[in-house]
Amino acid sequence: MQLSEDQVRQFEEQGYVFLPSQFTEAEVAAMKADIPRIFAMDRQEVWREKDGKSVRTAFAAHTYSEPFHRLAHHPRMIEPVKQLLGGDVYVHQFKINGKEAFEGDVWQWHQDYGTWKRDDDMPEPRAMNISVFLDEVTEFNGALMIIPGSHKAGVLEAGHDLETTSYPLWTLDKETVARLADEGGIVAPKGPAGSMLMFHGNIVHASPPNISPWRRMITYISLCHCDNHIRQFKRPEWIAHRDFTPIECMADDCLLDLSRQPAE
Amino acid sequence: MQLSEDQVRQFEEQGYVFLPSQFTEAEVAAMKADIPRIFAMDRQEVWREKDGKSVRTAFAAHTYSEPFHRLAHHPRMIEPVKQLLGGDVYVHQFKINGKEAFEGDVWQWHQDYGTWKRDDDMPEPRAMNISVFLDEVTEFNGALMIIPGSHKAGVLEAGHDLETTSYPLWTLDKETVARLADEGGIVAPKGPAGSMLMFHGNIVHASPPNISPWRRMITYISLCHCDNHIRQFKRPEWIAHRDFTPIECMADDCLLDLSRQPAE
């Protein structure tokens, strides 16, 4: 699985590539089968919304869930990223964002690499995000909004917002977001569960609260070039991983294999 | 200006009719020209968001703004409503919802007639809402979501939510909204400024916060059949009007006329 020249060019110019239905329904079902167990866990990795109940994000699920372990080694995700980043990659962060029906809260306008640089001392933006939709994403359930081309702005000034949601985030000011959106517009890729969105670590993005009755669960995997590993270990290991071993891909049918087996 | 048979049927079956670009750019401009003055007013009708600054809604603007007075008498809005409600109508409520860029807050899932019945003792749902877009409404800036067909459910049980936003609202429980949306789906009519959305007083609707850098200002006019006027005067007069005089339409070019005149 390699991206086409057009897709590589789109990534360079627009900062993102969207691949609808990159994973099949059966593969998505194999992952979702483990969600009730994960979301019921009482552990620090499973971060709740301000209501104390709804799951905002489940960090590091690839370390305690077999299907998500396999996703983190899946060639249909890893190979295109190695192509774009030019070499071996490791998992810097892994999370399942719940964006629960009615309760899923906002993710404010931010850049991910800004955080990785400030908090984790990651040398360069040779790292990126890959989101895999676990539910259909529509205009109603809190689709991710991204500003095309905003990755070219470099690392923008940000403030540490400790109040808006249950999770602290380095967020951008209104003037900067407005200026970039007026220049580049906004897009919100939508598609069926199994779709995959790849975006540059410096892309400016946000997602609104989900007021709809339909959950919008997405897995976000942040992959970093192995040479570009973080230098500072201020954040917990389950938020910013310290194992810089190159990912070795599993077989293309590794998730499908799992879906064929009865759940244990 | 009369609705077609198809449009009347759609209103009866789906509970709404959407008329893109019902007003021209010049007519919208004539209304928007008065917005800075209105939103700067320090008066009880101009209701702020929780931040105490952004305008959430400006009630009764047709009583202190010439262009909005004219909108409230515009045949392109009044005539189709008289057709649907079968007779003379009066203005029960008039508001301009600011839904300001970045700051515009949620309107939770609710029915309007539920409030009119509980708070104002309006006898029957022979009243409806007409929204006129003052900005382009897109998938990004907090489009109104409505559940087609939900007006057939009658008045649903509701709780008085005094906490979520700065404005108290009778809101529906999650189970009811989920059931109705699973049956009827959700639609979010989008279109240029000047578009007009007409919906039944019992339609279930909501709008998400506006996290985009683009304002989404909409005027909502609630018109009621004159025979069906409210019986209880619990809410302030500027929220639930007590003048039941039938609206007499002005000329079709009344807004255009205004846009031709220099602002005073």
Side-chain angles (χ1 to χ4, degrees):
Chain A
M1 162 70 208
Q2 294 278 294
L3 298 174
S4 70
E5 273 183 42
D6 274 357
Q7 288 170 323
V8 171
R9 196 176 312 117
Q10 198 207 331
F11 182 82
E12 284 166 0
E13 284 170 16
Q14 302 290 312
Y16 74 100
V17 177
F18 182 53
L19 306 170
S21 300
Q22 179 81 339
F23 294 91
T24 66
E25 283 182 33
E27 287 169 329
V28 171
M31 291 187 271
K32 287 177 84 166
D34 207 19
I35 291 295
R37 185 185 70 89
I38 297 170
F39 280 18
M41 284 178 168
D42 182 18
R43 54 191 297 168
Q44 58 189 355
E45 290 95 331
V46 181
W47 200 284
R48 310 280 162 179
E49 299 281 11
K50 276 186 169 175
D51 68 7
K53 289 183 291 189
S54 313
V55 170
R56 180 167 178 78
T57 187
F59 283 104
H62 66 309
T63 64
Y64 53 83
S65 163
E66 181 59 25
F68 289 102
H69 171 80
R70 294 189 183 199
L71 177 64
H73 294 78
H74 204 290
R76 262 176 273 151
M77 180 177 65
I78 303 300
E79 291 299 341
V81 176
K82 288 172 72 170
Q83 182 188 358
L84 288 174
L85 296 180
D88 282 328
V89 296
Y90 75 94
V91 177
H92 172 60
Q93 187 174 88
F94 189 107
K95 57 182 186 284
I96 305 167
N97 283 4
K99 192 71 90 173
E100 305 250 14
F102 296 109
E103 300 298 340
D105 209 348
V106 64
W107 286 88
Q108 310 96 302
W109 290 102
H110 69 286
Q111 298 173 300
D112 284 281
Y113 178 66
T115 295
W116 303 337
K117 183 178 171 67
R118 288 181 192 94
D119 286 352
D120 308 324
D121 193 13
M122 184 188 286
E124 300 290 334
R126 295 183 71 188
M128 58 184 290
N129 279 316
I130 303 90
S131 74
V132 176
F133 298 0
L134 299 177
D135 292 308
E136 183 185 1
V137 174
T138 70
E139 62 181 300
F140 305 116
N141 61 359
L144 187 74
M145 301 181 185
I146 65 182
I147 299 180
S150 57
H151 63 302
K152 292 183 178 170
V155 175
L156 298 157
E157 209 176 319
H160 210 195
D161 182 349
L162 305 171
E163 294 185 4
T164 302
T165 78
S166 67
Y167 187 74
L169 196 67
W170 288 96
T171 60
L172 305 176
D173 64 60
K174 295 182 199 178
E175 292 69 26
T176 303
V177 174
R179 177 174 54 77
L180 293 167
D182 284 341
E183 287 166 14
I186 299 180
V187 295
K190 290 171 283 293
S195 299
M196 188 168 101
L197 175 68
M198 315 173 65
F199 55 102
H200 192 283
N202 272 338
I203 208 94
V204 174
H205 61 290
S207 70
N210 180 10
I211 70 162
S212 87
W214 303 312
R215 188 177 61 179
R216 192 232 60 178
M217 193 166 48
I218 290 183
T219 309
Y220 286 91
I221 300 104
S222 310
L223 297 174
C224 181
H225 192 288
C226 291
D227 296 346
N228 191 50
H229 66 78
I230 64 172
R231 267 58 172 173
Q232 173 173 282
F233 305 143
K234 203 170 74 175
R235 300 199 293 173
E237 194 279 338
W238 46 272
I239 291 183
H241 294 294
R242 299 166 198 173
D243 177 355
F244 312 131
T245 314
I247 296 170
E248 294 199 25
C249 288
M250 295 174 73
D252 191 76
D253 63 354
C254 61
L255 278 169
L256 211 55
D257 253 12
L258 200 61
S259 73
R260 285 181 193 130
Q261 295 164 18
E264 282 181 59
Chain B
M1 161 72 207
Q2 293 278 296
L3 299 174
S4 70
E5 275 183 39
D6 275 358
Q7 287 170 324
V8 172
R9 196 176 311 117
Q10 198 208 329
F11 183 81
E12 284 166 1
E13 284 170 16
Q14 302 289 310
Y16 75 100
V17 176
F18 182 54
L19 306 171
S21 300
Q22 180 80 340
F23 294 91
T24 66
E25 281 182 36
E27 289 169 327
V28 171
M31 292 187 272
K32 288 177 82 167
D34 207 18
I35 290 295
R37 186 184 69 89
I38 297 170
F39 280 19
M41 284 178 167
D42 182 18
R43 54 191 295 166
Q44 56 190 356
E45 290 94 333
V46 182
W47 199 283
R48 310 280 162 180
E49 299 280 11
K50 277 187 169 173
D51 67 7
K53 288 183 292 189
S54 314
V55 171
R56 180 165 179 79
T57 186
F59 282 104
H62 66 310
T63 64
Y64 52 82
S65 163
E66 181 58 27
F68 289 102
H69 171 80
R70 295 190 182 199
L71 177 65
H73 293 78
H74 204 289
R76 261 176 272 150
M77 181 178 65
I78 303 299
E79 291 300 341
V81 176
K82 287 172 72 170
Q83 182 187 0
L84 289 174
L85 296 181
D88 281 330
V89 296
Y90 75 94
V91 177
H92 172 61
Q93 188 173 88
F94 188 108
K95 56 183 188 282
I96 305 166
N97 283 2
K99 192 72 91 173
E100 305 249 15
F102 296 111
E103 300 298 341
D105 209 349
V106 66
W107 287 88
Q108 312 94 302
W109 290 101
H110 69 287
Q111 298 173 300
D112 283 281
Y113 177 67
T115 296
W116 303 337
K117 184 177 171 66
R118 286 181 193 93
D119 287 351
D120 308 326
D121 194 13
M122 184 188 286
E124 301 289 335
R126 294 183 72 188
M128 57 184 291
N129 280 316
I130 304 90
S131 72
V132 176
F133 298 0
L134 298 178
D135 291 309
E136 184 185 2
V137 173
T138 69
E139 63 181 299
F140 304 117
N141 61 358
L144 187 74
M145 301 182 185
I146 65 182
I147 300 180
S150 57
H151 62 303
K152 294 185 177 170
V155 175
L156 298 157
E157 211 176 320
H160 210 195
D161 182 349
L162 305 171
E163 295 186 1
T164 302
T165 78
S166 66
Y167 187 74
L169 197 67
W170 289 95
T171 60
L172 305 175
D173 64 58
K174 295 182 199 177
E175 291 69 25
T176 303
V177 174
R179 176 174 56 76
L180 292 168
D182 284 342
E183 285 165 17
I186 299 179
V187 296
K190 291 172 283 291
S195 299
M196 187 168 102
L197 175 69
M198 314 173 65
F199 54 103
H200 193 283
N202 272 337
I203 208 91
V204 173
H205 60 290
S207 70
N210 181 10
I211 70 163
S212 87
W214 303 312
R215 188 177 60 178
R216 191 232 61 176
M217 194 165 48
I218 289 183
T219 308
Y220 286 92
I221 300 104
S222 310
L223 297 174
C224 180
H225 192 288
C226 290
D227 297 346
N228 191 50
H229 65 78
I230 64 173
R231 267 58 172 170
Q232 174 173 283
F233 305 144
K234 202 169 77 176
R235 300 199 293 173
E237 194 279 338
W238 46 273
I239 292 184
H241 294 295
R242 298 166 199 173
D243 177 357
F244 312 133
T245 315
I247 296 169
E248 293 198 28
C249 288
M250 296 174 73
D252 191 76
D253 62 354
C254 61
L255 277 169
L256 211 54
D257 253 11
L258 198 65
S259 74
R260 287 181 192 128
Q261 296 164 16
E264 284 179 59

